[in-house]
Short mmCIF file of all heavy atoms in Angstrom, two decimals:
data_model
loop_
_atom_site.label_atom_id
_atom_site.label_comp_id
_atom_site.label_asym_id
_atom_site.label_seq_id
_atom_site.Cartn_x
_atom_site.Cartn_y
_atom_site.Cartn_z
N SER A 7 -23.73 23.75 -10.02
CA SER A 7 -23.04 22.94 -11.02
C SER A 7 -24.01 22.58 -12.13
O SER A 7 -25.07 21.99 -11.86
CB SER A 7 -22.52 21.66 -10.37
OG SER A 7 -22.23 20.72 -11.38
N LEU A 9 -23.76 20.30 -14.09
CA LEU A 9 -23.79 18.85 -14.31
C LEU A 9 -25.20 18.28 -14.11
O LEU A 9 -25.58 17.32 -14.77
CB LEU A 9 -22.80 18.17 -13.34
CG LEU A 9 -22.56 16.68 -13.52
CD1 LEU A 9 -21.93 16.41 -14.87
CD2 LEU A 9 -21.63 16.15 -12.41
N HIS A 32 -20.58 26.73 -11.98
CA HIS A 32 -19.57 25.67 -11.82
C HIS A 32 -19.72 24.69 -12.99
O HIS A 32 -20.79 24.12 -13.21
CB HIS A 32 -19.79 24.96 -10.48
CG HIS A 32 -18.75 23.95 -10.15
ND1 HIS A 32 -17.51 24.28 -9.63
CD2 HIS A 32 -18.77 22.60 -10.25
CE1 HIS A 32 -16.82 23.18 -9.43
NE2 HIS A 32 -17.55 22.14 -9.81
N ILE A 33 -18.61 24.52 -13.71
CA ILE A 33 -18.63 23.68 -14.92
C ILE A 33 -17.72 22.47 -14.71
O ILE A 33 -16.50 22.61 -14.56
CB ILE A 33 -18.18 24.52 -16.14
CG1 ILE A 33 -19.14 25.73 -16.32
CG2 ILE A 33 -18.14 23.65 -17.40
CD1 ILE A 33 -18.72 26.72 -17.40
N ASP A 34 -18.32 21.30 -14.67
CA ASP A 34 -17.59 20.07 -14.38
C ASP A 34 -17.12 19.41 -15.66
O ASP A 34 -17.93 18.89 -16.44
CB ASP A 34 -18.49 19.11 -13.60
CG ASP A 34 -18.67 19.55 -12.16
OD1 ASP A 34 -17.65 19.76 -11.49
OD2 ASP A 34 -19.81 19.68 -11.72
N VAL A 35 -15.81 19.40 -15.85
CA VAL A 35 -15.22 18.78 -17.04
C VAL A 35 -14.63 17.43 -16.64
O VAL A 35 -13.73 17.36 -15.79
CB VAL A 35 -14.12 19.69 -17.63
CG1 VAL A 35 -13.49 19.02 -18.85
CG2 VAL A 35 -14.70 21.06 -18.00
N MET A 36 -15.16 16.36 -17.22
CA MET A 36 -14.73 15.00 -16.87
C MET A 36 -14.24 14.29 -18.12
O MET A 36 -14.88 14.39 -19.18
CB MET A 36 -15.90 14.24 -16.26
CG MET A 36 -16.49 14.92 -15.04
SD MET A 36 -17.74 13.92 -14.26
CE MET A 36 -18.27 15.00 -12.94
N ASP A 63 -16.61 29.01 -13.45
CA ASP A 63 -15.72 28.31 -12.53
C ASP A 63 -15.52 26.90 -13.11
O ASP A 63 -16.41 26.06 -13.00
CB ASP A 63 -16.43 28.29 -11.16
CG ASP A 63 -15.77 27.40 -10.15
OD1 ASP A 63 -14.54 27.27 -10.18
OD2 ASP A 63 -16.50 26.87 -9.28
N HIS A 65 -13.98 23.33 -13.39
CA HIS A 65 -13.39 22.29 -12.56
C HIS A 65 -12.93 21.15 -13.47
O HIS A 65 -13.75 20.40 -14.00
CB HIS A 65 -14.46 21.82 -11.55
CG HIS A 65 -14.03 20.70 -10.66
ND1 HIS A 65 -14.93 19.97 -9.90
CD2 HIS A 65 -12.82 20.17 -10.39
CE1 HIS A 65 -14.29 19.04 -9.22
NE2 HIS A 65 -13.00 19.13 -9.51
N MET A 67 -11.61 17.77 -14.12
CA MET A 67 -11.35 16.43 -13.59
C MET A 67 -10.77 15.62 -14.75
O MET A 67 -11.47 14.85 -15.42
CB MET A 67 -12.67 15.83 -13.07
CG MET A 67 -13.10 16.47 -11.75
SD MET A 67 -14.85 16.23 -11.38
CE MET A 67 -15.54 17.59 -12.31
N HIS A 89 -6.70 19.39 -10.44
CA HIS A 89 -6.53 18.45 -9.33
C HIS A 89 -5.05 18.22 -9.04
O HIS A 89 -4.26 17.92 -9.96
CB HIS A 89 -7.21 17.12 -9.67
CG HIS A 89 -8.63 17.09 -9.20
ND1 HIS A 89 -9.02 16.50 -8.02
CD2 HIS A 89 -9.75 17.62 -9.75
CE1 HIS A 89 -10.33 16.65 -7.86
NE2 HIS A 89 -10.78 17.32 -8.90
N LEU A 134 -10.15 23.81 -3.52
CA LEU A 134 -11.41 23.05 -3.61
C LEU A 134 -11.25 21.74 -2.85
O LEU A 134 -10.46 20.88 -3.25
CB LEU A 134 -11.76 22.79 -5.08
CG LEU A 134 -12.86 21.74 -5.37
CD1 LEU A 134 -14.12 21.99 -4.58
CD2 LEU A 134 -13.19 21.73 -6.86
N MET A 136 -12.84 18.43 -2.21
CA MET A 136 -13.91 17.54 -2.70
C MET A 136 -14.55 16.85 -1.50
O MET A 136 -13.85 16.23 -0.69
CB MET A 136 -13.35 16.49 -3.66
CG MET A 136 -12.89 17.02 -5.01
SD MET A 136 -14.13 17.95 -5.94
CE MET A 136 -15.48 16.76 -6.08
N PRO A 140 -14.95 12.52 -6.90
CA PRO A 140 -15.46 13.17 -8.10
C PRO A 140 -15.89 12.17 -9.17
O PRO A 140 -15.36 11.06 -9.25
CB PRO A 140 -14.28 14.01 -8.58
CG PRO A 140 -13.07 13.38 -7.98
CD PRO A 140 -13.52 12.80 -6.68
N GLN A 172 -13.49 26.32 -1.29
CA GLN A 172 -14.69 25.84 -1.98
C GLN A 172 -14.90 24.38 -1.62
O GLN A 172 -13.94 23.64 -1.43
CB GLN A 172 -14.50 25.97 -3.50
CG GLN A 172 -15.71 25.59 -4.32
CD GLN A 172 -15.46 25.76 -5.82
OE1 GLN A 172 -14.49 25.24 -6.35
NE2 GLN A 172 -16.34 26.48 -6.50
N ASP A 174 -17.30 20.83 -2.76
CA ASP A 174 -18.01 20.31 -3.93
C ASP A 174 -18.41 18.86 -3.67
O ASP A 174 -17.57 17.98 -3.53
CB ASP A 174 -17.06 20.40 -5.14
CG ASP A 174 -17.71 19.98 -6.45
OD1 ASP A 174 -18.91 19.64 -6.44
OD2 ASP A 174 -17.00 20.02 -7.47
N GLY A 175 -19.74 18.65 -3.61
CA GLY A 175 -20.27 17.30 -3.48
C GLY A 175 -21.16 17.13 -2.27
O GLY A 175 -20.71 17.29 -1.14
N VAL A 194 -20.34 24.63 -4.03
CA VAL A 194 -20.87 24.06 -5.27
C VAL A 194 -22.13 23.29 -4.90
O VAL A 194 -22.16 22.62 -3.86
CB VAL A 194 -19.84 23.12 -5.93
CG1 VAL A 194 -20.43 22.46 -7.18
CG2 VAL A 194 -18.57 23.89 -6.29
ZN1 ZN B 302 -17.20 20.07 -9.53
#
Side-chain angles (χ1 to χ4, degrees):
S7 163
L9 187 63
H32 185 80
I33 300 174
D34 286 307
V35 179
M36 303 186 182
D63 170 33
H65 177 194
M67 287 161 275
H89 269 262
L134 166 51
M136 290 305 303
Q172 184 180 52
D174 185 2
V194 176

